[in-house]
Amino acid sequence: MASLDAASTTLELPPLDCSLLFPDLINFHMERNPTFPMFMYPNEMVTGATTEISFLEFGRAAHRIAHTLRPSCQDPDGQVVMIIANTDSLLHHAVVAGISIAGLVPFPVSFKNSAATIVNMMKKVNCSRIVTLAHAHRGLINDICLESEGMQLTLDELPTLARAFPKLGNEVAADPFVAYPPPAKRPELHSPAIYVHSSGSTGSPKPIAHSYQFQIHWMTQPGILGYANVVARRIGSMTHRPIHAFALWAQLYAPLSYLTTTVVYPPRTWKDPRAQPIVATSDNAIECVRQTKCHCVIFIPALLEQTVTSEEAIEVLKNVELVCFAGGPLPVKVGDALWAAGVPLCTNYGGTEFGSPFAIANKKDIADGDWGSVRFGDGIEVRWAPQGGDTYECQVLSTENNRVAVENLPDVRGYATGDIFMKHSTKDMWKFIGRADDDIFLASGEKIVPAPIESIIKSSLSPLVKAVLMFGRKRNQVGILIEPHPEHAIDVNDEKAVVEFKNKIWPVIEEANKMLPTCSRISKEMILITSSDKPMLQTAKRTAQRKGTLEAYEWEINALYDTVEAGQSSLNGLAGLSSTLLLFFSLCVQFIVAWIQKDLRHRVA
């Protein structure tokens, strides 16, 4: 254990050698660092003020939740408890911690997943209990109950913020509190401590077990350790939803391991449990950074991109020690503009399956403008698998002190990430350039792996359809390019034929959408049919050549987005009109879209 001084108070860092597990770390800080602020947020009641949640208060909240969800230690240890709740980050993390303190295994799940997807994950981890918000997710929960026919589900209401934090921001040691009983037996290091699901962008989210050992190993990785060297260590990660693995380490693991303070949005549910949490925007994120005086802030790329046109936002970011982005790519033009304006920009890299192996950017790399590249930290063993063209796949290997959560390599213990990098020309740095499986990164930062979705649609529509390619990189929604089988080819200049073909394939796509998260779903307007005189390019294996084909159809794809987005923008401005007028206007827009597409096809032909 190490000590450090802060504000004349001696603080104590916990041992991260697996002698203490995740629940133990919470109890450690309650005893050794009770007044240190674990969370901070702007006080909406007092202008210019902030509210702090100490380790003591957060730990007590977790213990209260443990009492609520597993009173008197009833039921066996190790049961998996799924959390489906769109609520404040502070409460969500307290629920995760409380379930763990109770000797159970938390499984936070995105409420954007379909019922079928959620039930599938529940079966894989043998979960039959859900903690949720009935008022917010009634429809989804009803669908889960229908989908899980034969399973005996237990549904519990999420404990309220007021129940967990009765003195929100003001609890002291003298306030009433009853600790949850310690476990009768220490969990096995390799047993699941928490389940975290993959992004769901593949169309089939997978539950990934993080063992107690992996949790501690993640806390010792350079991606968390590096933030301990940020001055004052006040880290803003308010734009990340608490259900994601990234939020777990930035908002929960970092404070517990290295005494950082996590800045989040103000909770909204203390007085009204039905209140919606704050939805992240670039404006409210910048205001949160300004009010809390963050020393480091981590953005999702879509929101960071919006700050580039705001002089006020850039002035705020210039006074931050580090401005990081994670969860997707940032357009080069945007990154260069922010860096040129004096923003200390850098990128983060990590994954649910292997943690945060990158080292926090140093001042020289930032000064040199290497904002898009990362260094891999000490103690991380990486193998670079050549992919051709000076590109390499990152493979993170398991070691005694850094075991990955998922091992999928055939020859050694480790994880093949599927992430493709290019080496820096003069430094020991690496730039992420894409996915081996052609991930699509939306403007929102959501990541979509198109291959499985394309495969489902193609196989379901055979022999009507020969090939399917999904597109949508850096766009707000995805679309698909479909090539009909030769005997079902149509004249794409024939509007009636196009409509009839779309109607034939739509039921299959509509059914596939039910299994996909919101960001991966395909609207009817975003279906593009190939022309018979311009078939998809093929590889030597007779599969569609993604890059070449999408480049060949780039003009049509851009025109489709321009047309559809123009139509949506027009509809959004007519909220006050009657349903009859809206229907009429919608039909007019659809007619115009169809007419423009027909005209575009004539031009291409």
Side-chain angles (χ1 to χ4, degrees), residues 305-510:
E305 184 175 351
Q306 294 171 14
T307 66
V308 75
T309 58
S310 169
E311 292 183 8
E312 181 181 353
I314 288 176
E315 283 303 311
V316 171
L317 295 178
K318 284 166 62 176
N319 292 309
V320 176
E321 189 174 340
L322 281 177
V323 176
C324 309
F325 65 93
L330 186 70
V332 174
K333 185 177 179 180
V334 172
D336 286 346
L338 289 171
W339 176 79
V343 175
L345 186 64
C346 63
T347 184
N348 289 349
Y349 171 70
T352 308
E353 299 86 352
F354 56 90
S356 311
F358 65 93
I360 301 300
N362 61 50
K363 291 184 178 180
K364 186 178 187 310
D365 290 338
I366 292 174
D368 290 344
D370 292 317
W371 57 266
S373 299
V374 296
R375 293 179 184 271
F376 285 80
D378 297 336
I380 302 297
E381 189 170 341
V382 177
R383 183 171 71 177
W384 296 101
Q387 301 294 304
D390 294 325
T391 63
Y392 301 82
E393 181 195 23
C394 174
Q395 298 179 351
V396 183
L397 305 184
S398 286
T399 64
E400 183 179 352
N401 297 315
N402 183 55
R403 180 165 294 175
V404 298
V406 177
E407 295 178 338
N408 64 356
L409 289 170
D411 56 336
V412 294
R413 300 184 69 174
Y415 182 72
T417 67
D419 294 327
I420 307 302
F421 286 77
M422 182 174 289
K423 197 174 190 315
H424 194 284
S425 58
T426 60
K427 298 181 178 181
D428 187 21
M429 300 185 75
W430 296 83
K431 183 175 183 178
F432 172 76
I433 60 171
R435 288 279 301 169
D437 45 13
D438 299 306
D439 280 4
I440 295 172
F441 292 90
L442 298 181
S444 64
E446 298 278 3
K447 183 171 68 176
I448 297 171
V449 180
I453 303 172
E454 294 162 352
S455 178
I456 291 171
I457 294 174
K458 180 184 174 184
S459 61
S460 301
L461 289 172
S462 180
L464 191 63
V465 167
K466 180 182 179 182
V468 177
L469 285 180
M470 182 177 277
F471 54 83
R473 182 173 174 81
K474 297 182 182 178
R475 297 284 190 166
N476 292 320
Q477 60 178 322
V478 294
I480 52 171
L481 181 65
I482 290 183
E483 181 178 358
H485 212 271
E487 55 262 41
H488 297 286
I490 63 170
D491 180 0
V492 294
N493 297 312
D494 184 342
E495 178 59 28
K496 183 179 178 182
V498 171
V499 171
E500 288 178 350
F501 188 85
K502 284 188 177 183
N503 287 339
K504 284 182 182 178
I505 64 175
W506 179 243
V508 169
I509 296 173
E510 194 173 32

Side-chain angles (χ1 to χ4, degrees), residues 19-88:
S19 60
L20 298 181
L21 304 184
F22 172 69
D24 304 323
L25 292 177
I26 296 170
N27 295 330
F28 174 93
H29 288 295
M30 289 175 67
E31 179 184 344
R32 309 292 180 89
N33 307 299
T35 61
F36 186 86
M38 182 179 181
F39 289 94
M40 173 187 283
Y41 53 84
N43 187 325
E44 294 185 303
M45 305 299 293
V46 182
T47 303
T50 59
T51 298
E52 295 179 349
I53 303 297
S54 67
F55 275 121
L56 175 78
E57 186 167 16
F58 180 84
R60 286 186 169 188
H63 276 263
R64 292 184 184 109
I65 290 169
H67 278 294
T68 301
L69 296 180
R70 195 189 179 196
S72 304
C73 299
Q74 64 186 20
D75 300 324
D77 288 344
Q79 288 188 338
V80 180
V81 180
M82 184 173 281
I83 309 166
I84 304 176
N86 181 28
T87 191
D88 299 311

